[in-house]
PDB file of all heavy atoms in Angstrom:
ATOM      1  N   ARG A 965     -11.260  19.866  13.942  1.00 97.00           N
ATOM      2  CA  ARG A 965     -11.722  21.254  13.836  1.00 97.00           C
ATOM      3  C   ARG A 965     -12.456  21.514  12.505  1.00 97.00           C
ATOM      4  O   ARG A 965     -12.671  22.658  12.117  1.00 97.00           O
ATOM      5  CB  ARG A 965     -10.571  22.240  14.065  1.00 97.00           C
ATOM      6  CG  ARG A 965      -9.444  22.196  13.100  1.00 97.00           C
ATOM      7  CD  ARG A 965      -8.401  23.275  13.437  1.00 97.00           C
ATOM      8  NE  ARG A 965      -7.219  23.091  12.614  1.00 97.00           N
ATOM      9  CZ  ARG A 965      -7.128  23.472  11.346  1.00 97.00           C
ATOM     10  NH1 ARG A 965      -8.134  24.060  10.769  1.00 97.00           N
ATOM     11  NH2 ARG A 965      -6.013  23.247  10.666  1.00 97.00           N
ATOM     12  N   GLY A 966     -12.816  20.418  11.820  1.00 97.00           N
ATOM     13  CA  GLY A 966     -13.673  20.549  10.635  1.00 97.00           C
ATOM     14  C   GLY A 966     -12.958  21.069   9.397  1.00 97.00           C
ATOM     15  O   GLY A 966     -13.601  21.531   8.454  1.00 97.00           O
ATOM     16  N   ALA A 967     -11.620  20.954   9.367  1.00 97.00           N
ATOM     17  CA  ALA A 967     -10.872  21.423   8.196  1.00 97.00           C
ATOM     18  C   ALA A 967     -11.078  20.503   6.996  1.00 97.00           C
ATOM     19  O   ALA A 967     -10.910  20.917   5.848  1.00 97.00           O
ATOM     20  CB  ALA A 967      -9.392  21.532   8.523  1.00 97.00           C
ATOM     21  N   LEU A 968     -11.396  19.233   7.252  1.00 98.00           N
ATOM     22  CA  LEU A 968     -11.815  18.307   6.193  1.00 98.00           C
ATOM     23  C   LEU A 968     -12.891  17.394   6.771  1.00 98.00           C
ATOM     24  O   LEU A 968     -13.054  17.324   8.001  1.00 98.00           O
ATOM     25  CB  LEU A 968     -10.649  17.522   5.591  1.00 98.00           C
ATOM     26  CG  LEU A 968      -9.917  16.479   6.405  1.00 98.00           C
ATOM     27  CD1 LEU A 968      -9.204  15.514   5.468  1.00 98.00           C
ATOM     28  CD2 LEU A 968      -8.867  17.133   7.300  1.00 98.00           C
ATOM     29  N   ALA A 969     -13.618  16.696   5.889  1.00 98.00           N
ATOM     30  CA  ALA A 969     -14.804  15.972   6.357  1.00 98.00           C
ATOM     31  C   ALA A 969     -14.479  14.608   6.966  1.00 98.00           C
ATOM     32  O   ALA A 969     -15.256  14.084   7.771  1.00 98.00           O
ATOM     33  CB  ALA A 969     -15.777  15.809   5.202  1.00 98.00           C
ATOM     34  N   GLY A 970     -13.350  14.030   6.582  1.00 98.00           N
ATOM     35  CA  GLY A 970     -13.021  12.707   7.114  1.00 98.00           C
ATOM     36  C   GLY A 970     -11.891  12.075   6.338  1.00 98.00           C
ATOM     37  O   GLY A 970     -11.343  12.683   5.409  1.00 98.00           O
ATOM     38  N   ALA A 971     -11.551  10.860   6.738  1.00 98.00           N
ATOM     39  CA  ALA A 971     -10.434  10.178   6.072  1.00 98.00           C
ATOM     40  C   ALA A 971     -10.638   8.668   6.146  1.00 98.00           C
ATOM     41  O   ALA A 971     -11.357   8.171   7.021  1.00 98.00           O
ATOM     42  CB  ALA A 971      -9.116  10.556   6.755  1.00 98.00           C
ATOM     43  N   ALA A 972     -10.005   7.976   5.211  1.00 98.00           N
ATOM     44  CA  ALA A 972      -9.977   6.513   5.266  1.00 98.00           C
ATOM     45  C   ALA A 972      -8.519   6.084   5.169  1.00 98.00           C
ATOM     46  O   ALA A 972      -7.776   6.551   4.300  1.00 98.00           O
ATOM     47  CB  ALA A 972     -10.782   5.917   4.122  1.00 98.00           C
ATOM     48  N   LEU A 973      -8.118   5.233   6.089  1.00 98.00           N
ATOM     49  CA  LEU A 973      -6.729   4.777   6.141  1.00 98.00           C
ATOM     50  C   LEU A 973      -6.673   3.253   6.072  1.00 98.00           C
ATOM     51  O   LEU A 973      -7.411   2.569   6.792  1.00 98.00           O
ATOM     52  CB  LEU A 973      -6.069   5.225   7.460  1.00 98.00           C
ATOM     53  CG  LEU A 973      -6.115   6.715   7.808  1.00 98.00           C
ATOM     54  CD1 LEU A 973      -5.495   6.943   9.182  1.00 98.00           C
ATOM     55  CD2 LEU A 973      -5.386   7.536   6.753  1.00 98.00           C
ATOM     56  N   ASP A 974      -5.790   2.749   5.232  1.00 98.00           N
ATOM     57  CA  ASP A 974      -5.504   1.303   5.226  1.00 98.00           C
ATOM     58  C   ASP A 974      -4.127   1.046   5.828  1.00 98.00           C
ATOM     59  O   ASP A 974      -3.769  -0.086   6.110  1.00 98.00           O
ATOM     60  CB  ASP A 974      -5.562   0.776   3.780  1.00 98.00           C
ATOM     61  CG  ASP A 974      -5.384  -0.732   3.704  1.00 98.00           C
ATOM     62  OD1 ASP A 974      -6.014  -1.444   4.516  1.00 98.00           O
ATOM     63  OD2 ASP A 974      -4.612  -1.216   2.842  1.00 98.00           O
ATOM     64  N   VAL A 975      -3.366   2.119   6.009  1.00 98.00           N
ATOM     65  CA  VAL A 975      -1.974   2.013   6.480  1.00 98.00           C
ATOM     66  C   VAL A 975      -1.744   3.067   7.557  1.00 98.00           C
ATOM     67  O   VAL A 975      -2.410   4.103   7.561  1.00 98.00           O
ATOM     68  CB  VAL A 975      -1.005   2.216   5.305  1.00 98.00           C
ATOM     69  CG1 VAL A 975      -1.032   1.057   4.335  1.00 98.00           C
ATOM     70  CG2 VAL A 975      -1.317   3.507   4.547  1.00 98.00           C
ATOM     71  N   TYR A 976      -0.773   2.816   8.444  1.00 97.00           N
ATOM     72  CA  TYR A 976      -0.664   3.620   9.664  1.00 97.00           C
ATOM     73  C   TYR A 976       0.783   3.935  10.001  1.00 97.00           C
ATOM     74  O   TYR A 976       1.702   3.186   9.647  1.00 97.00           O
ATOM     75  CB  TYR A 976      -1.318   2.843  10.827  1.00 97.00           C
ATOM     76  CG  TYR A 976      -2.736   2.482  10.471  1.00 97.00           C
ATOM     77  CD1 TYR A 976      -3.030   1.271   9.848  1.00 97.00           C
ATOM     78  CD2 TYR A 976      -3.760   3.399  10.663  1.00 97.00           C
ATOM     79  CE1 TYR A 976      -4.325   0.972   9.447  1.00 97.00           C
ATOM     80  CE2 TYR A 976      -5.053   3.118  10.260  1.00 97.00           C
ATOM     81  CZ  TYR A 976      -5.326   1.903   9.657  1.00 97.00           C
ATOM     82  OH  TYR A 976      -6.604   1.634   9.245  1.00 97.00           O
ATOM     83  N   GLU A 977       0.930   5.014  10.770  1.00 96.00           N
ATOM     84  CA  GLU A 977       2.278   5.364  11.242  1.00 96.00           C
ATOM     85  C   GLU A 977       2.778   4.306  12.221  1.00 96.00           C
ATOM     86  O   GLU A 977       3.958   3.978  12.240  1.00 96.00           O
ATOM     87  CB  GLU A 977       2.248   6.751  11.909  1.00 96.00           C
ATOM     88  CG  GLU A 977       2.079   7.861  10.904  1.00 96.00           C
ATOM     89  CD  GLU A 977       2.402   9.230  11.480  1.00 96.00           C
ATOM     90  OE1 GLU A 977       1.554   9.780  12.206  1.00 96.00           O
ATOM     91  OE2 GLU A 977       3.488   9.750  11.192  1.00 96.00           O
ATOM     92  N   ILE A 978       1.880   3.805  13.065  1.00 94.00           N
ATOM     93  CA  ILE A 978       2.273   2.725  13.991  1.00 94.00           C
ATOM     94  C   ILE A 978       1.563   1.462  13.502  1.00 94.00           C
ATOM     95  O   ILE A 978       0.379   1.257  13.774  1.00 94.00           O
ATOM     96  CB  ILE A 978       1.832   3.027  15.433  1.00 94.00           C
ATOM     97  CG1 ILE A 978       2.254   4.438  15.849  1.00 94.00           C
ATOM     98  CG2 ILE A 978       2.385   1.986  16.406  1.00 94.00           C
ATOM     99  CD1 ILE A 978       1.611   4.918  17.152  1.00 94.00           C
ATOM    100  N   GLU A 979       2.290   0.658  12.724  1.00 91.00           N
ATOM    101  CA  GLU A 979       1.636  -0.520  12.131  1.00 91.00           C
ATOM    102  C   GLU A 979       2.252  -1.805  12.669  1.00 91.00           C
ATOM    103  O   GLU A 979       3.475  -1.950  12.673  1.00 91.00           O
ATOM    104  CB  GLU A 979       1.777  -0.453  10.609  1.00 91.00           C
ATOM    105  CG  GLU A 979       0.806  -1.366   9.906  1.00 91.00           C
ATOM    106  CD  GLU A 979       0.645  -1.005   8.422  1.00 91.00           C
ATOM    107  OE1 GLU A 979       0.288   0.130   8.105  1.00 91.00           O
ATOM    108  OE2 GLU A 979       0.912  -1.876   7.604  1.00 91.00           O
ATOM    109  N   PRO A 980       1.428  -2.746  13.133  1.00 88.00           N
ATOM    110  CA  PRO A 980       1.985  -3.992  13.652  1.00 88.00           C
ATOM    111  C   PRO A 980       2.717  -4.783  12.570  1.00 88.00           C
ATOM    112  O   PRO A 980       2.366  -4.699  11.399  1.00 88.00           O
ATOM    113  CB  PRO A 980       0.734  -4.774  14.104  1.00 88.00           C
ATOM    114  CG  PRO A 980      -0.386  -3.795  14.102  1.00 88.00           C
ATOM    115  CD  PRO A 980      -0.032  -2.724  13.142  1.00 88.00           C
ATOM    116  N   GLY A 981       3.736  -5.522  12.970  1.00 78.00           N
ATOM    117  CA  GLY A 981       4.416  -6.431  12.044  1.00 78.00           C
ATOM    118  C   GLY A 981       3.565  -7.688  11.884  1.00 78.00           C
ATOM    119  O   GLY A 981       2.524  -7.844  12.537  1.00 78.00           O
ATOM    120  N   ALA A 982       4.041  -8.589  11.039  1.00 72.00           N
ATOM    121  CA  ALA A 982       3.276  -9.803  10.748  1.00 72.00           C
ATOM    122  C   ALA A 982       3.029 -10.633  12.004  1.00 72.00           C
ATOM    123  O   ALA A 982       2.012 -11.318  12.134  1.00 72.00           O
ATOM    124  CB  ALA A 982       4.018 -10.625   9.715  1.00 72.00           C
ATOM    125  N   ALA A 983       3.982 -10.571  12.951  1.00 73.00           N
ATOM    126  CA  ALA A 983       3.881 -11.442  14.131  1.00 73.00           C
ATOM    127  C   ALA A 983       3.035 -10.818  15.245  1.00 73.00           C
ATOM    128  O   ALA A 983       2.800 -11.456  16.268  1.00 73.00           O
ATOM    129  CB  ALA A 983       5.284 -11.723  14.647  1.00 73.00           C
ATOM    130  N   ASP A 984       2.586  -9.579  15.061  1.00 81.00           N
ATOM    131  CA  ASP A 984       1.851  -8.893  16.137  1.00 81.00           C
ATOM    132  C   ASP A 984       0.347  -8.895  15.878  1.00 81.00           C
ATOM    133  O   ASP A 984      -0.087  -8.881  14.731  1.00 81.00           O
ATOM    134  CB  ASP A 984       2.312  -7.428  16.237  1.00 81.00           C
ATOM    135  CG  ASP A 984       3.823  -7.331  16.362  1.00 81.00           C
ATOM    136  OD1 ASP A 984       4.381  -8.097  17.158  1.00 81.00           O
ATOM    137  OD2 ASP A 984       4.433  -6.521  15.636  1.00 81.00           O
ATOM    138  N   THR A 985      -0.424  -8.865  16.964  1.00 88.00           N
ATOM    139  CA  THR A 985      -1.882  -8.782  16.801  1.00 88.00           C
ATOM    140  C   THR A 985      -2.447  -7.529  17.457  1.00 88.00           C
ATOM    141  O   THR A 985      -3.599  -7.189  17.248  1.00 88.00           O
ATOM    142  CB  THR A 985      -2.582 -10.015  17.419  1.00 88.00           C
ATOM    143  OG1 THR A 985      -2.110 -10.178  18.743  1.00 88.00           O
ATOM    144  CG2 THR A 985      -2.333 -11.270  16.609  1.00 88.00           C
ATOM    145  N   GLU A 986      -1.625  -6.856  18.263  1.00 94.00           N
ATOM    146  CA  GLU A 986      -2.116  -5.670  18.953  1.00 94.00           C
ATOM    147  C   GLU A 986      -1.939  -4.443  18.057  1.00 94.00           C
ATOM    148  O   GLU A 986      -0.888  -4.269  17.431  1.00 94.00           O
ATOM    149  CB  GLU A 986      -1.325  -5.476  20.247  1.00 94.00           C
ATOM    150  CG  GLU A 986      -2.076  -4.601  21.236  1.00 94.00           C
ATOM    151  CD  GLU A 986      -1.223  -4.299  22.466  1.00 94.00           C
ATOM    152  OE1 GLU A 986      -0.219  -5.009  22.679  1.00 94.00           O
ATOM    153  OE2 GLU A 986      -1.564  -3.349  23.175  1.00 94.00           O
ATOM    154  N   PHE A 987      -2.971  -3.596  18.030  1.00 96.00           N
ATOM    155  CA  PHE A 987      -2.929  -2.393  17.192  1.00 96.00           C
ATOM    156  C   PHE A 987      -2.914  -1.165  18.090  1.00 96.00           C
ATOM    157  O   PHE A 987      -3.826  -0.963  18.888  1.00 96.00           O
ATOM    158  CB  PHE A 987      -4.155  -2.378  16.269  1.00 96.00           C
ATOM    159  CG  PHE A 987      -4.180  -1.207  15.333  1.00 96.00           C
ATOM    160  CD1 PHE A 987      -3.297  -1.137  14.267  1.00 96.00           C
ATOM    161  CD2 PHE A 987      -5.085  -0.177  15.515  1.00 96.00           C
ATOM    162  CE1 PHE A 987      -3.308  -0.050  13.393  1.00 96.00           C
ATOM    163  CE2 PHE A 987      -5.109   0.916  14.650  1.00 96.00           C
ATOM    164  CZ  PHE A 987      -4.225   0.968  13.588  1.00 96.00           C
ATOM    165  N   LYS A 988      -1.872  -0.349  17.975  1.00 95.00           N
ATOM    166  CA  LYS A 988      -1.711   0.746  18.940  1.00 95.00           C
ATOM    167  C   LYS A 988      -1.938   2.135  18.330  1.00 95.00           C
ATOM    168  O   LYS A 988      -1.925   3.125  19.037  1.00 95.00           O
ATOM    169  CB  LYS A 988      -0.300   0.696  19.526  1.00 95.00           C
ATOM    170  CG  LYS A 988      -0.080  -0.538  20.377  1.00 95.00           C
ATOM    171  CD  LYS A 988       1.297  -0.531  20.985  1.00 95.00           C
ATOM    172  CE  LYS A 988       1.501  -1.780  21.824  1.00 95.00           C
ATOM    173  NZ  LYS A 988       2.874  -2.238  21.833  1.00 95.00           N
ATOM    174  N   ASP A 989      -2.093   2.203  17.026  1.00 96.00           N
ATOM    175  CA  ASP A 989      -2.248   3.523  16.392  1.00 96.00           C
ATOM    176  C   ASP A 989      -3.620   4.099  16.787  1.00 96.00           C
ATOM    177  O   ASP A 989      -4.650   3.460  16.590  1.00 96.00           O
ATOM    178  CB  ASP A 989      -2.149   3.365  14.876  1.00 96.00           C
ATOM    179  CG  ASP A 989      -1.994   4.699  14.174  1.00 96.00           C
ATOM    180  OD1 ASP A 989      -2.887   5.563  14.308  1.00 96.00           O
ATOM    181  OD2 ASP A 989      -0.982   4.872  13.487  1.00 96.00           O
TER     182      ASP A 989
END
Side-chain angles (χ1 to χ4, degrees):
R965 62 178 172 79
L968 68 159
L973 306 176
D974 185 45
V975 290
Y976 305 91
E977 288 195 282
I978 310 168
E979 197 163 303
D984 307 315
T985 51
E986 200 186 343
F987 182 72
K988 293 182 180 148
D989 193 300

